[in-house]
Amino acid sequence: MTIRLHDTRAQELRDFVPLDSSNVTMYVCGPTVQSGPHIGHVRAALSFDLLRRWLQRRYGRVTFVRNVTDIDDKVLANATDAESWWGLAYRMEQEFSAAYAAVGIQPPTYEPRATASIPQMQELIARLIERGHAYPAADGSGDVYFDVRSWAGYGELTRQSVDAMEAAEDADPRGKRAPQDFALWKGAKPGEPADATWASPWGAGRPGWHIECSAMARRYLGAEFDIHGGGLDLRFPHHENELAQSTAAGDAFARYWVHNGLVTVDGQKMSKSLGNFTLAADVLAQHDPLVVRYALAAAHYRSSLDLSDSSWTEAEAALGRIRTFLERAQRTAGGDEGPAAESLPAAFASAMDDDLGVPQALAVVHETVRAGNAALDRGDVDEVRIALGAVRAMTGVLGIDPFSPEWRGTGSDTKTTTALDALVQAMIAQRAQARADKDWPAADRIRDAIGAAGITLEDTPDGTHWSIDG
Ligand SMILES: [Zn+2]
């Protein structure tokens, strides 16, 4: 077994070899909590949830860190007289956590807030100054910049030369030696809230965004760790700058850089001006969270994912096929215990090993569902049992097993199913009575009405069962 991952720095697929095969270490950039999550945030977090689950399956243990950027220009900008920046940050952090939890994204091992690691950031900045890769601004602003020309590796991640790069827009350029230099520490400016500044050797101020992640990754995972993840939009400048800071400070830092593709809506980039900005909360209010998870997971993590109304209906139909099979198979094969570990098909595992090929893995799930349905039709109980175990094992790995404790009784499912079941059972009883009375036209009318609602009846020796057409 070898997992291969696309490494952004190498620009190719590489065999994944963890530093410690009993504990994979992974850092993923978390949200800047300035406003609530859009659907792209959920897709990014889900991509790494799927990778983490697979690594957990393969290696047993993953130490997974996803930070919260709770101090930033944008957080300060969105605070109001009625709500402090830290109150806003906490409220938005909760919105992110709720959206992640709704679609079954497992909580990180550690979820550090940037404001809780300020000493570690200052220590890293001091080390960079000492090594000649950072300097306090000459204008007395209290800013500290990373000196990009002092570090030959700068531009390595995105393969750009410094001269071709745009100026960093994260600070007033007056005190910089080169326009591409970026802020490690931002001196306090008049009008900024006093509780958004921390004392430092360079004057009161706050950290720049990039240094936050370098310091938190080091604090929680050490100077070298396995995987650094984030959205494709973070490659430059954020990840380029993280890599430069950490390596210039003497840390080996991330061994693999993994980036997920972005989300478009109806073929267009999400933007407030186009009116297609899709908030996670709106999507989750309209669709079953399991359907949302399936739809967001169905595309390969590196490809861009275009969402439209059909994304949700297709995901719903695909999940319906899985659910219907599982219900039928459990009635036939019996047992509702969890799937056996050894029942994961080899084709599924090799798809997941191959740069987390979830679309190919889902194809194996649906092939197995089809084979299982065929086995049901011909009454081959042994084959049904094998397919049932395999489908539950595979959907369990992907976090989409509708019968797992995390989804059983969540969303719209339980109440609707209970209500529908009561109605359909009443009609099944009426049909049985009509047949007992030899009132064939009435029995047919009831069966047709049930069929017109998209419900299939299955008469078995132990009674009539119903399922929604997949
Ligand atoms: Zn980051």
Side-chain angles (χ1 to χ4, degrees):
M1 125 211 158
T2 307
I3 293 179
R4 297 198 321 150
L5 280 180
H6 185 269
D7 176 15
T8 305
R9 179 154 52 163
Q11 294 192 344
E12 61 181 17
L13 290 170
R14 289 176 58 206
D15 286 354
F16 177 67
V17 184
L19 281 167
D20 173 358
S21 62
S22 65
N23 180 21
V24 175
T25 46
M26 204 169 156
Y27 184 92
V28 172
C29 290
T32 299
V33 281
Q34 58 188 348
S35 53
H38 59 64
I39 200 67
H41 289 118
V42 181
R43 196 257 175 138
L46 179 59
S47 298
F48 293 102
D49 181 63
L50 290 162
L51 178 56
R52 175 203 193 171
R53 285 170 186 251
W54 187 241
L55 292 167
Q56 228 153 341
R57 172 96 192 182
R58 282 302 201 201
Y59 293 97
R61 184 173 163 209
V62 177
T63 301
F64 182 92
V65 178
R66 189 187 61 224
N67 73 293
V68 176
T69 294
D70 59 343
I71 180 73
D72 183 85
D73 288 348
K74 290 174 248 165
V75 176
L76 293 178
N78 285 1
T80 61
D81 290 341
E83 187 174 36
S84 63
W85 64 271
W86 47 268
L88 169 75
Y90 183 56
R91 188 164 60 86
M92 291 306 145
E93 181 187 319
Q94 287 178 305
E95 282 195 20
F96 273 89
S97 299
Y100 292 158
V103 297
I105 292 170
Q106 293 173 344
T109 318
Y110 306 114
E111 191 171 17
R113 294 187 188 126
T115 51
S117 291
I118 304 284
Q120 287 75 12
M121 294 166 200
Q122 293 186 353
E123 188 269 336
L124 193 55
I125 295 168
R127 213 145 36 102
L128 286 167
I129 294 174
E130 196 183 295
R131 287 175 161 244
H133 297 302
Y135 58 91
D139 61 359
S141 60
D143 292 347
V144 179
Y145 296 110
F146 184 84
D147 185 351
V148 296
R149 291 188 190 279
S150 76
W151 186 245
Y154 191 69
E156 180 196 352
L157 183 68
T158 50
R159 306 205 175 183
Q160 304 182 70
S161 73
V162 173
D163 295 317
M165 284 176 197
E166 288 173 22
E169 290 172 353
D170 60 350
D172 196 309
R174 282 175 307 176
K176 291 185 184 183
R177 292 180 190 162
Q180 293 87 358
D181 290 354
F182 57 89
L184 300 172
W185 187 259
K186 297 180 172 191
K189 294 187 189 70
E192 287 182 352
D195 61 1
T197 63
W198 288 261
S200 88
W202 320 286
R206 58 194 162 89
W209 174 34
H210 316 302
I211 200 76
E212 296 179 355
C213 285
S214 283
M216 286 183 278
R218 185 178 212 281
R219 182 178 185 187
Y220 290 91
L221 298 174
E224 186 175 17
F225 57 94
D226 292 317
I227 297 171
H228 192 313
L232 211 49
D233 51 339
L234 297 183
R235 273 179 313 173
F236 188 86
H238 186 52
H239 288 167
E240 191 72 73
N241 292 351
E242 276 188 45
L243 175 64
Q245 292 159 172
S246 292
T247 47
D251 293 349
F253 210 53
R255 302 170 69 244
Y256 298 84
W257 288 84
V258 177
H259 289 97
N260 67 276
L262 304 181
V263 172
T264 55
V265 174
D266 294 321
Q268 286 183 302
K269 198 176 167 200
M270 254 193 289
S271 84
K272 283 183 175 133
S273 59
L274 284 171
N276 66 352
F277 202 78
T278 309
L279 290 173
D282 292 341
V283 172
L284 289 164
Q286 286 160 17
H287 304 283
D288 180 345
L290 178 53
V291 169
V292 175
R293 181 179 177 95
Y294 189 102
L296 295 179
H300 189 263
Y301 78 91
R302 279 200 288 130
S303 49
S304 64
L305 170 64
D306 187 47
L307 293 176
S308 63
D309 287 342
S310 67
S311 311
W312 314 117
T313 48
E314 282 166 21
E316 202 167 356
L319 276 165
R321 285 193 293 275
I322 294 170
R323 194 190 301 265
T324 302
F325 164 68
L326 292 177
E327 284 168 352
R328 290 183 71 200
Q330 279 184 350
R331 281 197 302 271
T332 299
D336 189 20
E337 70 280 4
E342 58 277 12
S343 51
L344 210 53
F348 177 90
S350 62
M352 294 296 281
D353 282 344
D354 186 12
D355 197 25
L356 205 69
V358 173
Q360 295 77 6
L362 281 171
V364 179
V365 172
H366 288 286
E367 277 162 31
T368 313
V369 165
R370 273 192 296 276
N373 279 324
L376 276 163
D377 292 343
R378 62 173 190 271
D380 185 341
V381 178
D382 287 342
E383 282 300 313
V384 170
R385 200 167 280 132
I386 290 166
L388 171 62
V391 170
R392 288 213 63 196
M394 292 187 282
T395 52
V397 165
L398 298 172
I400 55 166
D401 176 357
F403 292 160
S404 71
E406 66 184 321
W407 294 117
R408 194 190 288 272
T410 61
S412 58
D413 216 40
T414 337
K415 278 186 197 162
T416 313
T417 308
T418 306
L420 189 58
D421 187 54
L423 288 173
V424 178
Q425 293 298 353
M427 291 181 84
I428 288 171
Q430 285 173 19
R431 174 168 164 264
Q433 189 56 51
R435 290 166 101 183
D437 297 345
K438 301 199 189 314
D439 184 353
W440 308 119
D444 288 348
R445 267 201 311 278
I446 294 165
R447 187 201 57 210
D448 292 347
I450 293 173
I455 290 166
T456 305
L457 297 183
E458 194 184 358
D459 293 310
T460 72
D462 62 328
T464 301
H465 300 287
W466 64 272
S467 57
I468 296 172
D469 294 349

